[in-house]
Amino acid sequence: MFERFHFEKREDRPGDEKLNAGLVYGWIVIVVVLMITYGIEVFRGYRTESYYLWFSLATLVPALIVFILYHWRPAWFYLRYMVLVGYLIMYTYVMFTGHTPLIFTYVLPLLSLMVLYHDIGLILLTGTAAIGINIAQISMELSTGRVSAEDVAEVEIRFACLILCFAASAVGAKIYGMIDKKNTKFREDMQQMTIATIRTIANTIDAKDEYTQGHSRRVSDYSGSIAKELGYSESEIADIKFIALLHDIGKIGVPDSVLNKPGKLTDDEYQLMKNHTVIGADILKDIGMIPEIDVGAKYHHERYDGKGYPEGLEGEEIPMIARIIAVADAYDAMTSTRIYRNRLDPAIVVEEIEKGIGTQFDPQAGTAMLNLLREGRLIQEEHYEEPKEVREATELLSRVMEKQEEQLANNYMHDELTGAYNRNYGLKLLQEATRQGQGTMFIFDIDQFHVVNETEGYMVGDIYLQTVAKLIGSFREKGIVARFGADEFVAVFPRVLTPEHATRMAEKFREKLNTKKNEQVALGKLNVSIGISMIDHEKEEFNVVYERADKALYVAKHQSEDGYYIHWRGQEEIERQEKASADLKALVGVLKNRKRDKGGLDVDLPAFTTMLNYITDVAERNHQHVRLLLFTLMSDQEHRVTVDETERVMTILERAILKSIRSVDATTKYSATQRIVLLLNMDEDQVHVVTDRIMMEFYKMYDKKQIAIHYDSADLSNGAK
């Protein structure tokens, strides 16, 4: 299919073009030398002008005829015989009209050129003709008396020289032919190996997508047909076919999950798919066996109107080879069944190509394809029986690629250092597990990790991370574990359903960690704080559970290093939180129903009322939201908290709030255990950021476990419920 040495008939072999050029131009050089030499003899009076004229005709006319034939058909096999005939005309003339005994040697330059063809028959023909001409010339001289019996020795020397030269030339042609044959066989074998390799790669790439079997081969055939229609030479067509065969090689870097996705690709997946052009060009850019072998892979998705990719080239900026392949590729896509649609009707395909000329397609290439389709001359798909070696190599390469993609997928899902899921992939799994509505979330955070890296070195830090990941993975209650940050792991254990069970797991983790620290000196400074939150109900959002576990982590970190804390909404806590939420609901009702002209609220907060009026007026004029936060202190039922301790904690809460809110926001005390915060023009995400900051600051300053904080929020804007 691709063997370029079998595209032409015997008389038009591309390999003969250079040989013919050497022979023709070599003869012209000989003619020029003789014309100059004989012109000098005319000038000196050794020859007449009429002789020079006839010599010129016998020499120049045959050379001119052969020169014209060469430019008409440069690779013509029989051009060498035309040169021989023309040369012998000149040789015959000078042999019968010359005066020097060395005229017989004029045939030797031609003989040296004939050796390049390593054709013994051609050498013997030339030698026989030359000897015949010499015999005729000697016979004429004997009859005229110019040669006598005494000159027999010179005649013998002449013929001995001719025979010796022709014999040596024949031997040289034979040896040269053997060497050239071996080299040609080697080149053909290498070419066949190259073809087989390219076919193997193309088959493997096509095999990645179950709907594109044979796509590369068909695009190669179609591209060759278009190139032929455009007048490309056979060798150029062969190169274009090779280039087209590899146009999709970049898909080797696209995951099967993207190639075979039945639905619409996401933006990221589409970008990944588009990148196959750049990947293909990078693979092929340094391959020199075929000129411009990388342009088909890189630019076959460029559009003539400049709206393609990867570089958005326009019109003539796109290499012609890529423009040809683009038409062939689009045609095969439209006439093949794909995962997202069936093959199109031939009439629709022709219509689409017509519409695309000048926009998607190059006008020349598009018009050539239309001509081929309308006249039924396009090479249609044939059944190719791949050689056994190609089939086996394809299977082997496919297996290698599958293993490589498994490794890439593993790297895509997992953190390389610890083996836990990475944040992006782990988040998807954790969200799904949380929506199941049962289980427990743990956040494991290495204390003072940045200090460890700075003082002990990053290698020790890596050991800490690997140790923690291994301990988390050792729980018999198997869960989903993801590395969420430089020093943080998040895990969901679906079978851990009670706070007591979660407590036992945390204690077990501490025991195992202490055992590891005793066994390995390098782990001496490894401490891990754990925040725990129970998953309350089905379809609970991951962010809500994570926020509770994160708050628990703050408490654990500020109680002591290597501690843990469970954020569990037990019945008593639920009742207390419901009471706090009821307080907020009542407060919102009072604030929304207040009469500003009468002033004052039912609560003794006149300053707060004035402040609220001002903020809500500003918000209404600027169409902004006003959000209300109510923070409530909730004491641990196991401890009796004194009034002094409550006031101290309220002061800490006030300081944490003032440190966390902006100058446009406001806060005031609402009750002995509650504090109000007004936030101007904040969305839900920003509110979460502020509350997290307040909680973090609070637990930094509060070092006991007796009191926890609960908060609720409400929207005070007009129309908000």
Side-chain angles (χ1 to χ4, degrees), residues 60-126:
L60 292 178
V61 171
L64 181 61
I65 292 173
V66 171
F67 186 77
I68 293 172
L69 289 173
Y70 166 73
H71 283 280
W72 174 53
R73 292 177 66 174
W76 191 26
F77 177 82
Y78 296 101
L79 187 68
R80 66 194 72 173
Y81 296 102
M82 299 301 297
V83 172
L84 176 60
V85 171
Y87 199 95
L88 290 177
I89 291 172
M90 178 200 74
Y91 186 67
T92 301
Y93 180 80
V94 296
M95 284 294 295
F96 283 92
T97 61
H99 303 299
T100 172
L102 295 178
I103 293 177
F104 78 92
T105 62
Y106 285 12
V107 76
L108 299 183
L110 176 66
L111 192 63
S112 64
L113 293 174
M114 291 295 185
V115 172
L116 297 176
Y117 287 91
H118 49 83
D119 185 344
I120 295 179
L122 184 63
I123 298 292
L124 293 177
L125 180 62
T126 306

Side-chain angles (χ1 to χ4, degrees), residues 378-578:
L378 182 67
I379 298 177
Q380 298 298 315
E381 180 183 5
E382 301 174 6
H383 176 70
Y384 291 94
E385 184 63 35
E386 298 285 7
K388 179 182 177 182
E389 294 79 7
V390 173
R391 295 197 303 271
E392 291 179 349
T394 300
E395 184 178 354
L396 176 60
L397 185 56
S398 296
R399 291 177 183 175
V400 171
M401 288 180 58
E402 287 174 6
K403 292 297 182 182
Q404 183 183 21
E405 289 181 355
E406 287 177 9
Q407 184 62 43
L408 290 174
N410 187 62
N411 294 339
Y412 169 74
M413 295 185 297
H414 292 87
D415 174 58
E416 184 176 356
L417 177 64
T418 64
Y421 291 115
N422 60 36
R423 183 183 180 94
N424 290 336
Y425 191 78
L427 179 59
K428 298 176 183 178
L429 300 180
L430 292 169
Q431 288 173 333
E432 183 62 30
T434 303
R435 292 193 189 101
Q436 300 304 313
Q438 62 180 20
T440 305
M441 180 182 293
F442 288 69
I443 300 179
F444 299 86
D445 189 272
I446 300 177
D447 297 324
Q448 303 297 317
F449 186 68
H450 66 284
V451 176
V452 172
N453 278 333
E454 292 173 0
T455 59
E456 304 294 327
Y458 288 97
M459 184 175 294
V460 174
D462 290 348
I463 294 174
Y464 280 18
L465 289 166
Q466 291 169 338
T467 301
V468 173
K470 188 173 182 179
L471 291 177
I472 299 172
S474 68
F475 285 121
R476 60 182 179 82
E477 302 90 345
K478 298 300 181 182
I480 299 167
V481 184
R483 185 180 176 187
F484 251 48
D487 56 357
E488 180 179 287
F489 295 87
V490 177
V492 169
F493 295 92
R495 297 181 181 180
V496 180
L497 306 177
T498 65
E500 292 77 17
H501 192 172
T503 300
R504 290 196 301 272
M505 287 184 64
E507 291 290 348
K508 189 69 174 177
F509 180 86
R510 293 176 64 176
E511 291 175 9
K512 290 183 177 181
L513 179 59
N514 289 331
T515 301
K516 284 285 186 183
K517 290 166 69 174
N518 292 331
E519 293 174 351
Q520 300 181 37
V521 178
L523 301 176
K525 296 182 180 180
L526 175 56
N527 294 305
V528 179
S529 297
I530 308 173
I532 307 170
S533 176
M534 310 303 296
I535 300 174
D536 290 341
H537 55 79
E538 189 176 354
K539 295 184 180 179
E540 186 164 25
E541 289 297 324
F542 169 84
N543 290 340
V544 175
V545 182
Y546 179 82
E547 182 180 321
R548 294 202 302 264
D550 200 37
K551 291 175 182 177
L553 180 64
Y554 286 132
V555 176
K557 275 186 171 294
H558 293 95
Q559 286 177 349
S560 63
E561 288 187 342
D562 208 18
Y564 65 90
Y565 185 81
I566 300 179
H567 190 294
W568 175 55
R569 297 180 67 205
Q571 187 59 40
E572 293 180 354
E573 184 176 354
I574 291 175
E575 291 175 357
R576 285 187 290 157
Q577 291 182 5
E578 288 178 348

Side-chain angles (χ1 to χ4, degrees), residues 270 274 277 298-315 317-318 326 359-361:
Y270 182 58
K274 288 168 62 177
T277 57
K298 187 170 185 178
Y299 299 118
H300 69 280
H301 279 297
E302 297 285 2
R303 289 171 53 102
Y304 198 76
D305 58 9
K307 296 180 181 179
Y309 62 87
E311 295 181 3
L313 300 182
E314 182 177 357
E317 296 176 344
I318 308 169
T359 53
Q360 181 177 354
F361 305 127

Side-chain angles (χ1 to χ4, degrees), residues 594 596 607-628 661-668 676-681 716-717:
R594 71 189 187 280
R596 297 186 183 181
F608 176 73
T609 304
T610 302
M611 174 189 66
L612 177 64
N613 288 340
Y614 173 75
I615 289 178
T616 52
D617 286 343
V618 171
E620 288 175 5
R621 286 197 301 271
N622 294 286
H623 306 288
Q624 295 174 326
H625 288 280
V626 177
R627 296 187 181 272
L628 175 68
I661 62 177
R662 306 165 301 176
S663 59
V664 296
D665 303 323
T667 181
T668 188
I676 295 171
V677 178
L678 289 174
L679 302 175
L680 180 63
N681 197 33
L716 293 181
S717 306

